[in-house]
Amino acid sequence: MTDGVLEAAPTANQPLPRWRRLRTGLFGTPLNAAVTLACLVLLAWVVPPLLRWSLLDAVWVGPADRCADAAGACWAFIGEKLRYILFGFYDQDRHWRPAVASAILLALAVVSGMPLFWRRATLGLWVCGLAVAVLLLTGEPGGPAVPTERWSGLPVSLLLAAAGLVGAFPLAVLLALARRSRMGGVRTLAILFIEVTRGVPLIAVLYVATLLLPLMLPAGSAIDKLLRAQIAIILFVSAYLAEIIRAGLQAIPAGQHEAAQALGLGYWQAMRLVILPQALRTVIPSIVNLAIGLFQDTTLIIVIGLFDLLNTARTAAKDPAWLGFYDEAFGFVALIYLTVCVAASRYSLWLEHRLQR
């Protein structure tokens, strides 16, 4: 007590300053301090050589001959092969088409992430955007047709991931509701599909779509290889997404269902207006994590003869004029994947905090 005034004691719920939380986390215990010092030693051992190789001793411009005796990275290779890494086997004089298609897909993802655009019109925007992107990649309008075998690089990775997640979402919602249904036959079929699909690796599903599905079709009929891969990815992702949505549905209190019934809402009205919005909000981190994994798993399409961003970079390093620059090729592609995935994870945290408010 000072001058008759009682001093306020610090409350237990009062947050600590950021510097104090950081100090406590890094050096709060002897074990934490030992781990922190070990990490600092590791960084001191790894970072300086990496900086010398990637920046100080790197070759930024010039022909391949300048990189022959260089001690650092040959980023001139990226400058020479950038368009091939991004767009692969697509006709070089028409690279504007896959560039515009990729920009459309990225713009759709950004717009869909804004709560302001969470309305029915956004679904129509996705349908139109995907249709325009595919139309551009096919060479239409006003140009010769480009077969899907020549689609490669970044547009293929974005298209398979975006269309796979968007196409799997309505199917996943139905599967999640079916697995929780009181109708035994519907519930059993949903369980069988989800468990069998989740028990098989994606690479096996792609093999089935590429090798076995054509044998099951009538003679003379065929489905494009890229379309088969896209359908396989949609079915595969829908099984995992259904389990994520089902977890969100189980987290909703029973009182929400009872309140919807008391308001006179039917089953589908209650799901659309009351239950699903709350369930999806609780599983946003899991959905974003699934989207990140799907974007990374598009590299598996190489097993069926299609080339995504990673595999066009690997092919670029096989050019006889620039042979062997695999570190630069894979490092550049890794930076692209890292940028996309970190941005998605940060967006997930931002959206989670925003919806909690």
Side-chain angles (χ1 to χ4, degrees):
M1 180 177 298
T2 304
D3 296 334
V5 179
L6 182 64
E7 294 182 350
T11 60
N13 295 328
Q14 184 178 359
L16 295 174
R18 179 174 297 182
W19 66 269
R20 192 170 178 180
R21 295 199 305 268
L22 183 63
R23 185 187 66 181
T24 303
L26 295 178
F27 301 99
T29 65
L31 179 60
N32 285 356
V35 172
T36 301
L37 293 176
C39 291
L40 291 176
V41 171
L42 180 62
L43 290 175
W45 177 57
V46 171
V47 171
L50 180 61
L51 289 177
R52 285 195 300 270
W53 177 82
S54 61
L55 297 177
L56 301 179
D57 299 332
V59 177
W60 297 92
V61 294
D65 298 339
R66 290 192 58 188
C67 299
D69 300 326
C74 182
W75 300 122
F77 161 77
I78 300 298
E80 179 69 23
K81 292 293 184 180
L82 178 61
R83 294 174 66 178
Y84 180 85
I85 292 173
L86 293 179
F87 308 126
F89 307 117
Y90 208 91
D91 298 337
Q92 189 170 2
D93 58 338
R94 294 195 290 170
H95 274 176
W96 67 270
R97 288 181 174 273
V100 173
S102 301
I104 289 175
L105 294 174
L106 289 173
L108 286 173
V110 172
V111 169
S112 301
M114 300 179 183
L116 177 64
F117 296 97
W118 288 357
R119 54 189 67 184
R120 293 183 181 180
T122 305
L123 179 59
L125 188 64
W126 264 102
V127 174
C128 295
L130 288 173
V132 171
V134 171
L135 193 65
L136 285 170
L137 291 173
T138 58
E140 299 292 341
V146 180
T148 56
E149 287 77 8
R150 300 188 66 84
W151 299 9
S152 48
L154 182 62
V156 171
S157 297
L158 293 175
L159 181 63
L160 290 175
L165 193 62
V166 172
F169 190 82
L171 180 59
V173 171
L174 293 177
L175 287 171
L177 296 178
R179 185 157 188 175
R180 290 170 51 87
S181 173
R182 297 179 180 178
M183 294 183 288
V186 174
R187 184 174 63 252
T188 301
L189 291 176
I191 292 173
L192 286 175
F193 176 82
I194 292 173
E195 296 302 329
V196 170
T197 305
R198 293 176 70 239
V200 178
L202 177 58
I203 191 171
V205 177
L206 291 174
Y207 269 125
V208 170
T210 303
L211 302 178
L212 298 183
L213 183 59
L215 300 178
M216 303 176 186
L217 297 176
S221 60
I223 301 178
D224 183 80
K225 183 189 295 186
L226 182 62
L227 180 58
R228 295 200 302 268
Q230 185 69 83
I231 294 174
I233 290 175
I234 289 175
L235 295 177
F236 184 82
V237 173
S238 66
Y240 283 86
L241 189 56
E243 286 297 276
I244 293 175
I245 295 174
R246 185 172 71 92
L249 292 173
Q250 289 180 335
I252 303 301
Q256 295 294 311
H257 297 267
E258 297 170 357
Q261 292 176 355
L263 292 173
L265 298 179
Y267 177 80
W268 293 107
Q269 286 181 315
M271 285 296 167
R272 182 172 61 88
L273 299 175
V274 179
I275 306 302
L276 277 176
Q278 299 181 71
L280 295 177
R281 182 173 59 186
T282 61
V283 295
I284 285 175
S286 299
I287 294 177
V288 174
N289 184 61
L290 179 65
I292 291 173
L294 175 60
F295 180 61
Q296 296 172 345
D297 287 343
T298 55
T299 57
L300 295 176
I301 62 173
I302 187 60
V303 301
I304 59 175
L306 298 175
F307 287 79
D308 72 311
L309 179 61
L310 179 64
N311 292 294
T312 53
R314 179 176 57 84
T315 307
K318 293 182 179 180
D319 187 341
W322 297 87
L323 187 62
F325 295 106
Y326 290 101
D327 293 339
E328 291 82 353
F330 291 146
F332 176 71
V333 173
L335 184 61
I336 295 177
Y337 278 105
L338 179 64
T339 302
V340 173
C341 295
V342 169
S345 64
R346 299 306 301 177
Y347 164 75
S348 173
L349 292 175
W350 170 82
L351 185 61
E352 187 177 3
H353 291 315
R354 186 181 188 278
L355 293 180
Q356 284 178 352
R357 291 197 301 268

